Amino acid sequence: MKISPFVGLLVGSLAGLGTSSLLPRDHDTNDYYVLHLDSRTDPNHVASRLGLRNEGQLGELADHFVFRAPITNHDVVRREVDERRRKRSLGGADVLDSVKFSQKQKLHAPMQKRVIPSPPSGFFPQRKRDDTADPKALDYQKSVMETLGISDPIFNEQWHLFNPLQLGHDVNVTGVWLSGVTGKNATVAMVDDGLDMYSNDLKPNYYAFGSWDFNDNRAEPRPTLDDDKHGTRCAGEVSAARNDVCGVGVAYDSKIAGIRILSKQISDADEAAALNYDYQHNQIYSCSWGPPDDGRSMDAPGILIKKAMLNGVQKGRNGLGSIYVFASGNGAQSDDNCNFDGYTNSIYSITVGAIDRKGLHPYYSEKCSAQLVVTYSSGSGDAIHTTDVGENQCYNGHGGTSAAAPLAAGIFALALEVRPDLSWRDMQYIALESAVPVDLDSGEWQPTTMGKKYSHTFGYGKIDTYALVEIAKTWKNVKPQAWFYSPWLHVKKEIPQGDQGLSVNFEVTKEMLQEANLERLEHVTVTMNVEHTQRGDLSVDLISPDNVISHISATRRLDQSDQGYDDWTFMSVVHWGESGVGKWTIVIRDTQVNDHKGTFVDWHLKLWGESIDASKAKLLPLPTEEDDADHDVTATATPTAITTSLPPPPDATNTAIPTSLPDDHPERPVKPSNTNSDGGPSATGTESAAAETTTESSWLPSFLPSFGVSSSTVAWIYGALGLIVAFCAGLGAWLWWVRRKRIRNNPRDTYEFEPLNADESAAGVDGGREKGTKRRGGELYDAFAGGSDDEEFNDRDHSSLVSEDSDDERDEDRGATRK
Ligand SMILES: *[C@@H]1O[C@H](CO)[C@@H](O)[C@H](O)[C@H]1NC(C)=O
Ligand SMILES: *[C@@H]1O[C@H](CO)[C@@H](O)[C@H](O)[C@H]1NC(C)=O
């Protein structure tokens, strides 16, 4: 099945325009694959080699392409690539050697909106308006409205903008508006269930070019389902126009785009494209959604989405970085914690929690050490009053952390009006620098090294818009990011039950950080492996050299998972401003004395912050998490102590083909011990190395004639080469024989001859890889699973495949916890 060169050309040129995301998807009759190719490879060659159609680049991800195929149950790309890998040692060039990663796309349930959850039993909200308005405050409100020409009918109800009842409990924006800052020339994209651009309140500020409907493949992200109201309500908080409809947005002169992803099932590829959509103009992405807030899920975005977020902070806004704002989550009453959500605990997102109109912590708003700030939302008998779907519809019951994140996003838009040059990290700095601690008596506030207070409930405090914009005006941009990675630190000890916990530590020296070009800290992440039969019993504290404590994990009474922590990364913003030098301690507790026990296997500390020398700063390679896969790089002196919590080799049940799990692959390239120079993972280097390797093995004869050495040496080399060639020929013949034999003996290869059985065979392959029942069959692509014949010749080439693949495996957990 070949596509005509003309179609290839046409599609290729469309791809060049970066319009791939605009091509309609039809998952009923097609399968979609994302392939990461060597940058020199023409995707059309790969497409015709595989008999697929090239649908163009995946969003803004360079070298990532979407391919389309008629629907089947198996993974046709994986099958072909496996097949090629088996034959590779026989020589010859094949365009499939340029495939670094492939993933068959699956539709998954949309992310969950952070709407107000039902209150806990026994919860009686206080009566609405139980205070009387201050007459002076009412006068001020009136004068503000007159001065600014605000005549919006529900402005008086928008207490979050100006609160004449509970004085001081609003975002303190009026002074900013009066100074003329209203969001002009700033753009916020609502990534949600749509945006009603025909609402008279949103129409004036609607930014069509930055909008797209990824659920229904159309340019207008118009709400269509009964339930599609969330995005419009969130948009109203940001950018409802100053007019005679409802109220105003906090940045009422900003532009607002709608990116619709929450109304239907969606693939990781489309979600990734959504998070980079029009990222030169969409400056802020407001995301009031995430994995379920059920206190059981431990769910991170898939590798393509992770790549898109890093791509966004590196390339969005001409390199200043897209600003991702995420709602912390509404699962507090189920003991949920935003460090169990891979979007909110990403260092690339600003996590925003909620406080209510009395400045209290609402029952739903989640705590965690990744939470940066809070702002107003529902609780204490009231909610957020905003625009609704419909020409002139308003809504007075918007809430949950869903309503807090857009408010923050709008406030950041005001900062961008005065300082469009703020980087994604500058925005995090000014957010925490200007935040005001609230509820000092009950907020578990702790002093931090930079002279701030931090609470896991309120982050650095509530946003004060006036203070934030003032700080933005004179903010000196921070230097580029740098990072330091510890090696994997192996523990492999049982965790005692009760309060005492198990404590381990790692000493960071000044030299290590100097070598890593790291001046002072911003984010700290800890990746952990813990085996435990009841995950919710665990809690983890990270204690810095300055004795500042992050509760990076907390107990969750409903979390009965027996999966423990599997390469899970927790994040903390609590150590912002510390030097990082000294002893970092992890205390892990198994808080319940019961039959559920566990083992702390290993951990990996990463310090992120501002560089010392900006000229030496580098861009972090897109994630492959190969660093997290390198569990063998150890800091322990006794190699016998090296263990990992990884599952048994996936093909353990299939003895016909020797294969090894990427993570314990003996020839795996090992990064120089990770107390390393720049601290950075070397994926870029690995990729180019992979390219070289491919070239060498494919084009060996082309360099035969010239060695630049003496003729006798040349003769010797040719002699040696002759022997090698003879050996290879023999080996090739032997492999061919082994393979034929295997094909005869092994049903898994019979699909070549009996296509009707293909699905079963493919399922068998996937089945062999399954770890328990966690995996979604058919989606995994393991470059090795089919054969390791050529691994010894080309292990470097594999590393990027391996790491992406192993990441992809983790990614599978996501499907399991999501319904
Ligand atoms: C709010 O903004 C005003 C300026 O309009 C400023 O003087 C004040 O400090 C800010 N904070 C509070 C809590 O009012
Ligand atoms: C608006 O923003 C664009 C891009 O950030 C910039 O080039 C332009 O000068 C800005 N216009 C105004 C009026 O600030």
Side-chain angles (χ1 to χ4, degrees):
M1 193 184 80
K2 284 214 162 173
I3 54 165
S4 81
F6 175 72
V7 171
L9 204 68
L10 184 71
V11 173
S13 47
L14 279 175
L17 296 174
T19 52
S20 66
S21 61
L22 307 183
L23 289 180
R25 305 256 195 262
D26 178 0
H27 286 273
D28 290 338
T29 52
N30 297 298
D31 281 333
Y32 294 89
Y33 294 86
V34 171
L35 271 70
H36 180 194
L37 304 179
D38 187 298
S39 60
R40 298 165 309 179
T41 302
D42 180 347
N44 292 318
H45 292 165
V46 178
S48 50
R49 166 74 172 78
L50 290 169
L52 308 180
R53 232 186 83 161
N54 173 14
E55 301 267 296
Q57 184 175 304
L58 169 57
E60 298 288 350
L61 283 174
D63 305 329
H64 289 67
F65 297 89
V66 179
F67 290 76
R68 195 182 85 182
I71 201 158
T72 63
N73 283 332
H74 54 265
D75 184 329
V76 297
V77 176
R78 179 181 165 187
R79 199 171 78 178
E80 288 293 327
V81 173
D82 286 354
E83 188 60 25
R84 161 61 189 162
R85 288 194 172 266
R86 270 181 233 124
K87 288 179 179 158
R88 190 152 162 188
S89 45
L90 300 179
D94 189 320
V95 71
L96 288 190
D97 296 341
S98 69
V99 178
K100 290 161 174 273
F101 161 83
S102 94
Q103 188 187 58
K104 183 175 178 178
Q105 294 303 296
K106 282 232 162 160
L107 291 175
H108 57 72
M111 287 283 131
Q112 299 198 348
K113 304 169 199 178
R114 303 298 189 213
V115 293
I116 313 182
S118 47
S121 57
F123 175 86
F124 300 103
Q126 280 139 302
R127 203 170 54 82
K128 199 167 160 179
R129 309 282 160 87
D130 50 356
D131 294 302
T132 45
D134 180 304
K136 270 198 226 143
L138 288 175
D139 284 349
Y140 174 78
Q141 188 177 38
K142 219 170 136 196
S143 80
V144 167
M145 290 176 74
E146 272 167 25
T147 312
L148 298 172
I150 294 175
S151 55
D152 297 62
I154 70 160
F155 181 72
N156 288 317
E157 298 172 27
Q158 293 188 300
W159 59 267
H160 63 281
L161 298 174
F162 183 76
N163 189 344
L165 300 183
Q166 293 90 9
L167 294 184
H169 282 303
D170 55 42
V171 298
N172 201 25
V173 71
T174 49
V176 175
W177 291 343
L178 290 169
S179 76
V181 177
T182 51
K184 290 182 289 294
N185 209 23
T187 306
V188 182
M190 310 310 296
V191 185
D192 213 292
D193 62 8
L195 185 155
D196 187 356
M197 69 290 296
Y198 297 109
S199 154
N200 288 325
D201 218 6
L202 298 177
K203 198 189 283 177
N205 291 331
Y206 178 58
Y207 174 55
F209 191 76
S211 300
W212 187 258
D213 183 341
F214 283 88
N215 286 135
D216 286 332
N217 295 301
R218 32 171 214 170
E220 276 192 352
R222 216 168 42 243
T224 54
L225 309 179
D226 287 350
D227 192 32
D228 284 347
K229 296 188 164 161
H230 186 253
T232 300
R233 292 165 181 171
C234 290
E237 293 181 80
V238 178
S239 195
R242 188 184 47 143
N243 56 14
D244 56 359
V245 186
C246 302
V248 295
V250 70
Y252 56 75
D253 283 326
S254 62
K255 292 273 165 252
I256 190 104
I259 296 173
R260 187 162 176 257
I261 65 165
L262 299 184
S263 303
K264 277 188 183 170
Q265 291 194 317
I266 190 164
S267 66
D268 276 13
D270 284 350
E271 196 180 314
L275 288 172
N276 287 163
Y277 195 74
D278 192 25
Y279 68 176
Q280 299 311 343
H281 305 108
N282 284 333
Q283 297 169 308
I284 301 170
Y285 293 81
S286 182
C287 304
S288 291
W289 44 264
D293 289 333
D294 52 12
R296 298 182 187 95
S297 302
M298 190 168 195
D299 217 353
I303 184 67
L304 293 175
I305 299 162
K306 283 187 188 161
K307 286 184 185 203
M309 286 182 75
L310 181 56
N311 196 47
V313 302
Q314 291 185 344
K315 297 194 191 146
R317 291 199 300 137
N318 282 315
L320 292 169
S322 304
I323 294 170
Y324 296 105
V325 180
F326 272 85
S328 70
N330 296 341
Q333 53 180 323
S334 310
D335 285 351
D336 212 347
N337 175 293
C338 34
N339 240 326
F340 289 76
D341 167 345
Y343 295 89
T344 49
N345 83 4
S346 163
I347 68 172
Y348 308 118
S349 64
I350 298 183
T351 297
V352 179
I355 45 171
D356 68 22
R357 70 174 291 164
K358 288 186 170 169
L360 302 175
H361 172 245
Y363 62 87
Y364 54 81
S365 189
E366 291 179 22
K367 303 179 183 193
C368 73
S369 62
Q371 175 166 243
L372 200 68
V373 288
V374 293
T375 193
Y376 290 97
S377 186
S378 58
S380 283
D382 206 350
I384 298 294
H385 298 235
T386 179
T387 313
D388 207 349
V389 172
E391 263 179 54
N392 294 295
Q393 297 298 309
C394 316
Y395 186 57
N396 62 12
H398 190 44
T401 52
S402 265
L407 202 46
I411 292 165
F412 299 152
L414 296 172
L416 287 185
E417 177 183 341
V418 300
R419 284 293 301 276
D421 65 318
L422 294 174
S423 74
W424 66 277
R425 284 167 48 248
D426 288 323
M427 193 61 88
Q428 299 201 14
Y429 271 94
I430 65 168
L432 74 87
E433 285 282 0
S434 59
V436 181
V438 288
D439 197 10
L440 281 166
D441 299 333
S442 62
E444 313 140 12
W445 294 92
Q446 153 182 222
T448 74
T449 298
M450 71 186 301
K452 297 276 160 198
K453 289 193 175 71
Y454 187 86
S455 148
H456 288 75
T457 311
F458 301 108
Y460 283 93
K462 67 164 181 168
I463 300 176
D464 180 321
T465 311
Y466 187 84
L468 188 145
V469 172
E470 282 303 301
I471 288 180
K473 282 181 188 165
T474 56
W475 183 256
K476 189 168 170 295
N477 300 74
V478 292
K479 287 179 280 185
Q481 191 187 40
W483 53 85
F484 165 80
Y485 291 3
S486 81
W488 269 104
L489 301 157
H490 298 280
V491 181
K492 194 69 181 174
K493 281 208 177 80
E494 187 167 317
I495 307 158
Q497 297 197 325
D499 291 339
Q500 91 241 47
L502 171 62
S503 163
V504 297
N505 59 62
F506 178 71
E507 181 96 21
V508 174
T509 65
K510 206 172 168 176
E511 292 68 39
M512 290 175 188
L513 297 189
Q514 259 160 8
E515 221 188 321
N517 192 27
L518 181 55
E519 185 163 298
R520 61 176 173 151
L521 303 191
E522 293 158 8
H523 312 87
V524 178
T525 58
V526 175
T527 306
M528 298 180 82
N529 285 287
V530 176
E531 290 162 357
H532 199 279
T533 51
Q534 187 160 291
R535 188 166 65 198
D537 292 358
L538 298 169
S539 76
V540 183
D541 287 347
L542 171 68
I543 305 167
S544 74
D546 293 358
N547 221 22
V548 176
I549 303 173
S550 293
H551 305 305
I552 56 175
S553 176
T555 55
R556 302 196 302 170
R557 68 184 189 280
L558 302 176
D559 183 357
Q560 296 181 336
S561 164
D562 61 3
Q563 298 295 304
Y565 304 155
D566 182 5
D567 267 336
W568 185 262
T569 300
F570 295 106
M571 195 270 272
S572 172
V573 295
V574 186
H575 307 285
W576 210 282
E578 295 187 33
S579 76
V581 175
K583 192 166 34 163
W584 289 84
T585 305
I586 289 278
V587 181
I588 182 164
R589 292 187 178 85
D590 184 350
T591 58
Q592 302 297 317
V593 181
N594 56 18
D595 290 343
H596 293 287
K597 295 194 176 124
T599 303
F600 182 7
V601 179
D602 56 10
W603 63 297
H604 190 185
L605 176 75
K606 296 181 186 175
L607 307 178
W608 308 84
E610 188 175 13
S611 54
I612 300 167
D613 181 348
S615 69
K616 288 189 190 145
K618 298 183 213 157
L619 279 186
L620 189 70
L622 289 192
T624 61
E625 287 187 4
E626 67 168 0
D627 48 309
D628 289 343
D630 276 345
H631 290 244
D632 291 348
V633 181
T634 176
T636 50
T638 43
T640 49
I642 302 172
T643 49
T644 73
S645 67
L646 291 162
D651 276 355
T653 52
N654 182 350
T655 48
I657 299 173
T659 163
S660 53
L661 190 68
D663 308 86
D664 63 12
H665 187 252
E667 289 97 10
R668 234 191 107 68
V670 170
K671 278 184 302 166
S673 180
N674 294 11
T675 43
N676 69 14
S677 42
D678 55 50
S682 51
T684 309
T686 312
E687 286 178 15
S688 50
E692 280 161 26
T693 313
T694 309
T695 313
E696 279 168 29
S697 54
S698 309
W699 303 107
L700 192 67
S702 70
F703 68 79
L704 277 179
S706 73
F707 294 100
V709 288
S710 76
S711 56
S712 63
T713 312
V714 169
W716 183 87
I717 289 172
Y718 276 105
L721 274 172
L723 283 173
I724 291 169
V725 167
F727 172 74
C728 288
L731 182 67
W734 179 76
L735 286 172
W736 176 83
W737 179 81
V738 166
R739 189 175 145 60
R740 271 189 50 127
K741 201 171 153 203
R742 185 194 298 154
I743 287 168
R744 281 197 218 108
N745 297 341
N746 184 353
R748 89 179 247 189
D749 280 336
T750 57
Y751 55 71
E752 283 186 321
F753 310 107
E754 296 168 50
L756 287 177
N757 291 342
D759 299 349
E760 270 168 51
S761 310
V765 174
D766 291 326
R769 289 181 47 83
E770 298 229 358
K771 179 172 71 179
T773 55
K774 278 175 68 181
R775 301 256 163 83
R776 291 175 291 192
E779 186 176 340
L780 271 179
Y781 160 50
D782 180 349
F784 304 19
S788 53
D789 296 349
D790 56 349
E791 275 172 40
E792 54 271 44
F793 300 128
N794 216 342
D795 54 327
R796 278 195 302 166
D797 192 352
H798 284 157
S799 58
S800 59
L801 273 164
V802 169
S803 46
E804 293 196 324
D805 185 57
S806 59
D807 194 319
D808 185 25
E809 286 179 40
R810 261 185 292 288
D811 186 356
E812 297 302 303
D813 292 349
R814 183 172 186 241
T817 43
R818 196 190 272 145
K819 300 175 301 216

